[in-house]
């Protein structure tokens, strides 16, 4: 094994995502020597994936409205994240991007994007600046924990190396998209050191379902429905959820049909509530309003109009524009008898019931809930049980919806951890 001599002002950052890169940037700004290690062949893999359809860098909401989007592991408000955002919020992140030569704009939904919509140019400019500042990058290094001398152990090219550093910033991600590097391999390493870690769970995820009219052995969509409609969006639609424990959610938007259930922006927005409901009660009952711009009375009156010799399907299409995917959803949840019952059909158009049985696996989720519990950390994001060890990003126990919130808080936590490590080094030379 080889070892680097311990430097009085030397920090190792492990993890080359946005949180780790931001920590490295702030450490170099403080004059600290920085070596960044990552298990992948290049850094920012998930960052690049996030920008595949247009990089949603942050959101135009500010202040309390922005901070209210974040929650801790128990679903409550998260004052810790609010403190991170005091260091780097949405406007601050836009200014930071402009410093890299990347201009941004606010889309119609309030989300903020680079003008060219791409993530690669921003990442290239950032890495160029980091290298020019003196950050040293070490790729394909798998962190293996600590040895008896409290040196960091890495596996690289079939050999093990040890690295001594006065402090370390861990920015190792959660458990979503493990093929991009976030495989939660850090969990047993920290747990063995007595760090309290909330179980990792899917966030911003899809769900599989069971339909009440189908038997338990085949609870999902019918084979015909899957073959014809899987992958297609449902819009406009409103999702209504009133949980058994008092959790509730109502919002209009769109989602996508999957082979086993539902995914997409409207589902992601409610995913934390639905996930916890399933964990507590075994299922989450949601209702879909297929005609969110029409009142209950209007829909009931249109369905009840005489249809003569026309079929009910033709009647619904001509009177309410219900056909295709939305019509098929009705057939998935209603029996033939209920479909021809005017009052039942009208009620279902406004409150179509779906029972969600399970969240999709965390590896498929956009992000991860759970992780290092925030009370384990001080204000500089140092583990109180492991002095000199700082944590940042998605490996911490917080969550947020999509829309730029996740990326902003990850980078803000990296800034706090980097500055916290620099301050700790100065106080403990």
């Amino acid at each position: 094994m080889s070892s680097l001599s311990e430097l009085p002002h030397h920090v190792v950052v492990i993890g080359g995502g946005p949180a780790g890169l931001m920590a490295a940037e702030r450490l170099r700004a403080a004059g600290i020597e920085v070596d960044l290690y990552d298990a992948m062949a290049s850094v920012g893999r998930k960052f690049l994936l996030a920008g595949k359809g247009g990089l949603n860098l942050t959101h135009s909401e500010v202040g309390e409205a922005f901070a209210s989007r974040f929650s801790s592991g128990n679903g409550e408000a998260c004052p810790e994240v609010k403190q991170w955002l005091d260091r780097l919020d949405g406007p601050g992140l836009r200014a930071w991007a402009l410093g890299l030569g990347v201009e941004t704009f606010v889309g119609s939904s309030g989300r903020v994007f680079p003008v060219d919509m791409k993530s690669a140019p921003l990442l290239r400019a950032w890495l160029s600046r980091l290298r020019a500042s003196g950050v040293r990058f070490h790729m394909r290094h798998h962190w293996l924990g600590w040895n008896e001398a409290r040196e960091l152990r890495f596996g690289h090219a079939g050999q093990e190396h040890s690295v001594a550093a006065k402090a370390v910033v861990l920015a190792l991600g959660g458990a979503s998209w493990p093929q991009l590097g976030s495989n939660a391999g850090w969990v047993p390493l920290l747990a063995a050191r007595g760090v309290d870690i909330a179980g990792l769970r899917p966030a911003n995820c899809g769900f599989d379902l069971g339909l009440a009219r189908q038997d338990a052995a085949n609870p999902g969509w019918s084979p015909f429905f899957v073959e014809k409609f899987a992958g297609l969006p449902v819009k406009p639609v409103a999702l209504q959820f009133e949980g058994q424990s008092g959790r509730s959610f109502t919002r209009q938007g769109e989602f996508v049909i999957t082979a086993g259930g539902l995914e997409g922006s409207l589902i992601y927005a409610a995913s934390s509530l639905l996930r916890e409901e399933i964990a507590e009660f075994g299922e989450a009952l949601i209702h879909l309003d297929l005609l969110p711009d029409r009142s209950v009375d209007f829909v009931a009156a249109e369905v009840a109009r005489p249809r003569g010799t026309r079929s009910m399907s033709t009647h619904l299409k001509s009177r309410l524009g219900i056909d295709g995917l939305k019509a098929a959803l009705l057939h998935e949840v209603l029996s033939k008898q209920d479909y021809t019952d005017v009052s039942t059909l009208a009620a279902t158009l406004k409150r179509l019931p779906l029972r969600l049985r399970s969240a999709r696996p965390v590896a498929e989720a956009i992000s991860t809930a759970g992780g290092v519990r925030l009370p384990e950390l001080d204000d500089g994001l140092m583990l109180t049980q492991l002095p000199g060890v700082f944590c940042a990003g998605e490996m911490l126990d917080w969550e947020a919806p999509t829309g730029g919130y996740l990326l902003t808080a990850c980078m803000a936590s990296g800034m706090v951890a980097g500055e916290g490590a620099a301050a700790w080094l100065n106080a403990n030379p």
Side-chain angles (χ1 to χ4, degrees):
M1 298 175 65
S2 63
S3 177
L4 296 179
S5 61
E6 185 168 341
L7 300 173
H9 292 297
H10 173 230
V11 175
V12 165
V13 175
I14 307 178
L21 295 176
M22 182 59 77
E25 179 174 294
R26 298 314 302 160
L27 284 160
R28 284 302 298 137
I32 308 297
E33 294 291 321
V34 178
D35 285 274
L36 187 147
Y37 292 79
D38 193 277
M40 305 301 288
S42 59
V43 299
R45 293 290 184 94
K46 195 173 180 182
F47 181 80
L48 291 174
L49 179 69
K52 190 172 182 180
L55 177 63
N56 183 191
L57 186 62
T58 186
H59 199 283
S60 59
E61 284 184 330
V62 295
E64 292 294 334
F66 192 96
S68 69
R69 302 294 185 176
F70 300 88
S71 61
S72 57
N74 59 9
E76 301 296 327
C78 195
E80 293 90 348
V81 174
K82 185 177 179 181
Q83 291 177 356
W84 309 344
L85 297 174
D86 288 340
R87 288 294 299 119
L88 183 69
D89 58 5
L93 191 52
R94 295 183 71 183
W96 171 86
L98 187 60
L100 289 170
V102 177
E103 297 185 6
T104 56
F105 72 97
V106 180
S108 58
S109 65
R111 301 183 181 201
V112 175
F113 302 87
V115 169
D116 65 3
M117 300 293 289
K118 298 177 181 178
S119 56
L122 188 153
L123 182 60
R124 283 197 300 267
W126 194 7
L127 293 178
S128 177
R129 187 167 74 181
L130 288 170
R131 289 191 176 98
S133 75
V135 175
R136 297 179 289 266
F137 290 84
H138 307 268
M139 298 297 98
R140 295 191 174 95
H141 280 71
H142 297 262
W143 183 50
L144 304 174
W146 291 271
N147 62 21
E148 294 180 358
R150 293 181 58 85
E151 297 170 326
L152 298 161
R153 298 168 53 221
F154 291 97
H156 173 67
Q159 297 184 350
E160 184 174 317
H161 305 271
S162 65
V163 177
K166 188 74 173 180
V168 58
V169 176
L170 302 177
L172 293 159
S176 61
W177 291 87
Q179 65 271 34
L180 300 180
S182 299
N183 60 12
W186 55 268
V187 172
L189 301 178
L190 291 186
R193 297 269 172 162
V195 178
D196 190 11
I197 300 169
L200 301 184
R201 308 180 302 283
N204 294 297
C205 59
F207 292 84
D208 288 335
L209 56 82
L211 298 177
R213 73 177 182 85
Q214 296 178 335
D215 59 50
N218 183 29
W221 305 121
S222 67
F224 168 80
F225 186 85
V226 171
E227 181 179 358
K228 191 170 181 64
F229 298 109
L232 296 182
V234 183
K235 59 181 181 180
V237 65
L239 187 153
Q240 304 159 351
F241 167 63
E242 298 174 1
Q244 298 181 60
S245 64
R247 303 178 182 94
S248 64
F249 178 92
T250 301
R251 186 175 300 178
Q252 184 170 329
E254 63 181 84
F255 64 87
V256 174
I257 299 295
T258 67
L262 318 168
E263 66 179 14
S265 58
L266 186 57
I267 303 301
Y268 300 156
S271 62
S272 63
L273 299 176
L274 300 175
R275 182 193 67 226
E276 297 307 311
E277 182 81 1
I278 292 171
E280 187 171 352
F281 299 104
E283 67 176 22
L285 176 63
I286 65 171
H287 292 89
L288 303 179
D289 184 349
L290 301 182
L291 294 165
D293 299 324
R294 298 293 190 180
S295 69
V296 171
D297 290 342
F298 178 87
V299 171
E302 290 299 301
V303 173
R305 284 180 182 273
R307 58 186 173 93
T309 61
R310 294 185 303 174
S311 67
M312 183 61 79
S313 295
T314 301
H315 181 61
L316 291 179
K317 181 177 180 180
S318 65
R319 301 307 311 179
L320 293 168
I322 293 292
D323 63 352
L325 176 47
K326 287 188 175 181
L329 280 169
L330 293 171
H331 287 289
E332 288 293 296
V333 303
L334 294 176
S335 66
K336 290 183 178 179
Q337 180 178 352
D338 287 338
Y339 185 77
T340 57
D341 181 85
V342 171
S343 60
T344 299
L345 180 58
T348 305
L349 282 165
K350 294 296 289 181
R351 278 181 63 83
L352 184 144
L354 293 176
R355 295 185 182 277
L356 306 181
R357 305 291 190 185
S358 60
R360 293 298 300 165
V362 66
E364 298 178 14
I366 290 178
S367 57
T368 306
V372 176
R373 296 187 189 274
L374 298 180
E376 295 282 293
L377 304 152
D378 67 13
D379 290 343
L381 295 183
M382 184 177 74
L383 289 167
T384 54
Q385 293 195 64
L386 298 175
V389 179
F390 297 77
C391 298
E394 203 175 334
M395 67 184 293
L396 303 180
D397 186 21
W398 61 277
E399 61 182 307
T402 57
Y405 305 102
L406 287 163
L407 184 54
T408 304
C410 278
M411 296 178 73
S413 71
M415 178 174 284
V416 171
E419 293 175 348
W424 184 82
L425 280 175
N426 289 331
N428 296 272

